[in-house]
Amino acid sequence: MSKIVILTGAGISAESGLGTFRDENGLWAQHRIEDVATPEGFARNPDLVHSFYNARRHQSSAAQPNAAHMALAQLQAQHPGEVVIVTQNVDGLHEKGGASNVWHMHGILDGALCAACSHRWHAAEDMHRGTLCPSCQMPAARPDIVWFGEMPYDMEQIYAQLAGADLFASIGTSSQVYPAAAFVHEAQAAGAHTVELNLEPSSMVSSFAETRFGPATVIVPRWVNEVIGQP
Ligand code: OAD
């Protein structure tokens, strides 16, 4: 029973109406990373950062999973071996599409993190400067998003999954952000077959044994059908 590890990025949610980061008119063309995606930016202007993530939380909770999210859930249901999804996405669209066993290495929009005591809790509503941590009662709530300069979540467990992979697929990511961009090398070292599925070649394209280009809603269901052996 082969083990499949899948890395996803913003491209898989693009056709659900959620903007990517680095495409034309992407989030990083509209906002400065230093302002909204660093601990220093939050310290400088927490109101701006909260309003950025509050807006993204609203947008993401209104979004629906697309055929690519659902195909991965189907793969999990029908593949006889383990199928692990590691996502850089902070939306909850994999789970909404029926997936389980999802590792959110960059955090989640529905999460809050206490900047004072590191307590994490579910926060589906708007957050504001002064929102209290339910554990230490400090007014130090921040979005539970991994910002630039911070360590992604669950790296030890994710590397352990990659070390046991027989098949590694990278879907909808530009492969410009590490450590995720280098997962293909970990999987390769473990002897896995590697495949990139993306709209266009990513920065790491030459590292993959196989590549498929096109919109995720087209190429991911097609690939899943091949993996589970359906015509
Ligand atoms: P990017 O915006 O860097 O890359 C999105 C990729 O998706 C690009 O390679 C696009 O070509 C591709 N793409 C766009 N539309 C697509 C579609 N319909 N089907 C398939 N592919 C499509 O997003 P990420 O690689 O996810 O981190 O970015 C990685 C990290 O950088 C994010 O998690 C975020 C960001 O800064 C944090 O916020 C910590």
Side-chain angles (χ1 to χ4, degrees):
M1 283 196 295
S2 62
K3 173 171 174 145
I4 304 175
V5 179
I6 298 168
L7 171 70
T8 64
I12 197 168
S13 297
E15 291 161 88
S16 292
L18 300 180
T20 62
F21 294 93
R22 295 175 182 79
D23 291 309
E24 210 183 332
N25 289 322
L27 277 171
W28 295 155
Q30 301 166 48
H31 305 270
R32 280 162 38 95
I33 288 177
E34 304 77 20
D35 290 341
V36 298
T38 61
E40 296 77 17
F42 183 63
R44 257 195 322 270
N45 192 343
D47 295 333
L48 174 79
V49 175
H50 278 309
S51 83
F52 175 75
Y53 289 99
N54 287 342
R56 290 190 62 208
R57 190 175 303 111
H58 284 288
Q59 202 190 12
S60 142
S61 70
Q64 294 306 316
N66 65 45
H69 297 107
M70 296 204 268
L72 296 186
Q74 185 196 354
L75 181 62
Q76 284 188 323
Q78 297 191 11
H79 180 67
E82 195 184 1
V83 180
V84 179
I85 298 174
V86 179
T87 189
Q88 299 168 90
N89 297 345
V90 294
D91 61 53
L93 290 181
H94 283 301
E95 289 88 342
K96 263 195 200 171
S100 53
N101 209 357
V102 183
W103 297 82
H104 281 272
M105 63 179 290
H106 288 170
I108 182 105
L109 281 167
D110 278 354
L113 167 70
C114 178
C117 76
S118 300
H119 178 64
R120 298 170 77 189
W121 68 102
H122 181 76
E125 290 165 10
D126 282 357
M127 269 190 263
H128 304 282
R129 181 207 294 252
T131 298
L132 294 182
C133 166
S135 178
C136 72
Q137 309 303 322
M138 290 284 285
R142 54 165 273 186
D144 192 7
I145 303 288
V146 175
W147 286 328
F148 285 87
E150 297 181 324
M151 183 64 82
Y153 285 121
D154 305 320
M155 289 313 299
E156 206 175 306
Q157 293 92 327
I158 291 168
Y159 282 125
Q161 302 288 355
L162 290 164
D166 298 295
L167 170 58
F168 172 74
S170 170
I171 302 176
T173 175
S174 64
S175 296
Q176 292 197 36
V177 174
Y178 287 80
F183 286 176
V184 59
H185 295 145
E186 300 289 326
Q188 230 164 25
H193 177 67
T194 57
V195 51
E196 172 170 284
L197 299 103
N198 204 35
L199 193 58
E200 57 196 20
S202 79
S203 315
M204 295 300 272
V205 67
S206 59
S207 298
F208 287 85
E210 185 187 344
T211 54
R212 297 177 180 213
F213 302 116
T217 58
V218 174
I219 60 174
V220 176
R222 197 176 287 158
W223 174 73
V224 165
N225 281 339
E226 285 175 32
V227 174
I228 60 183
Q230 285 185 1

